[in-house]
Amino acid sequence: MTTPGYGQYCPISRALDVLGERWSLLILRDLLVGSTRFNDLARGLPGLSRSLLAKRLRQFERAGLVDKVGSDYLLTEAGLELKPILFGLGEWGSRWTFGDPRPAELDPAVLVWWMHTRMDTSAFPGRRQVFAVRFADVAHRFWIVIEAGTPSVCDADPGYPVDVIITSDVASLYQVWLGRLSAAQAIRTGRLLFTGPTALTRRMPSVLQLSPMAPYAEPQPVDFASRAS
């Protein structure tokens, strides 16, 4: 069974036959930023059922956007050529539709999952770095563990010494992650705190590499009243 197309002989219509179904572009977004395993894609898209994810991936294979190699879904040349299109859509969204976060959009587990692959710990000593993530408004705790350059997320204490504790409320850390609030401004206004040895905490703004969408974000104006306090 195939989904009916739009029935118009037009390249936009044909593209939407492949890309226009619900969740398709977000799955491709995650493939483009480095997720290749089914479970990793599912973890980054918790609102998407595993059965629908499997269906969309099969559709992408048939359309020539991905190849399945072992347990990895790898973008083909056609899939990779979608990057400027999706990032262009993100740039447009940042300019015209992206305001303050809505409560339903604030999922701390998804945020930590996004963050864990964008941590540059090359300036940290040792083969293992551990970051504890504490949200002031959520009881659940998270740990990001980077072992010899390979990152993972734990929602139970992994038992390793913690290098730096990252403390924030969910909305503020989302806004830092997406470039709407600079880390420096969040620290000055008490919305973001790094706790640990000074030699490590002072490196944290460069360790956290932020979302690939952050360069397109419209920064919030500086809250001078909060800054003064």
Side-chain angles (χ1 to χ4, degrees):
M1 296 292 292
T2 59
T3 302
Y6 289 93
Q8 293 191 346
Y9 186 54
C10 164
I12 295 176
S13 173
R14 289 285 183 91
L16 289 174
D17 287 346
V18 177
L19 305 173
E21 294 191 80
R22 183 167 171 79
W23 292 103
S24 290
L25 293 182
L26 293 183
I27 297 168
L28 288 164
R29 174 202 67 188
D30 286 7
L31 288 165
L32 283 164
V33 298
S35 292
T36 62
R37 301 289 183 96
F38 185 92
N39 286 339
D40 290 347
L41 290 165
R43 191 164 181 179
L45 297 163
L48 170 62
S49 71
R50 295 175 70 88
S51 61
L52 184 55
L53 173 58
K55 178 180 178 181
R56 291 288 181 263
L57 290 169
R58 289 194 299 269
Q59 291 172 329
F60 294 162
E61 285 187 80
R62 290 196 297 269
L65 301 183
V66 300
D67 291 323
K68 188 177 182 185
V69 181
S71 57
D72 289 299
Y73 292 89
L74 305 179
L75 289 164
T76 64
E77 181 180 0
L80 290 169
E81 286 189 1
L82 288 167
K83 185 171 183 177
I85 297 169
L86 261 68
F87 276 56
L89 186 62
E91 183 177 8
W92 179 89
S94 294
R95 182 174 299 133
W96 296 106
T97 70
F98 200 52
D100 291 335
R102 301 164 185 156
E105 297 172 328
L106 299 176
D107 186 326
V110 170
L111 175 57
V112 175
W113 179 254
W114 286 346
M115 288 169 54
H116 91 286
T117 60
R118 301 277 295 173
M119 305 282 281
D120 178 5
T121 57
S122 57
F124 274 36
R127 289 174 51 83
R128 181 194 300 127
Q129 296 83 40
V130 181
F131 303 91
V133 184
R134 303 287 181 263
F135 291 107
D137 49 346
V138 174
H140 202 98
R141 296 185 173 190
F142 302 89
W143 290 260
I144 297 173
V145 180
I146 301 176
E147 188 94 42
T150 301
S152 60
V153 174
C154 303
D155 57 8
D157 190 341
Y160 302 129
V162 172
D163 294 291
V164 175
I165 301 171
I166 304 169
T167 305
S168 181
D169 62 276
V170 179
S172 293
L173 192 54
Y174 256 106
Q175 290 180 87
V176 170
W177 166 251
L178 286 162
R180 283 182 48 80
L181 177 66
S182 73
Q185 183 183 342
I187 292 167
R188 284 195 301 267
T189 56
R191 298 168 69 178
L192 175 62
L193 175 66
F194 298 123
T195 306
T198 303
L200 301 182
T201 58
R202 69 186 180 194
R203 289 175 166 83
M204 286 304 297
S206 60
V207 168
L208 184 57
Q209 294 290 290
L210 305 187
S211 165
M213 286 289 100
Y216 306 113
E218 295 288 336
Q220 290 183 321
V222 175
D223 184 343
F224 288 101
S226 297
R227 182 173 174 177
S229 63

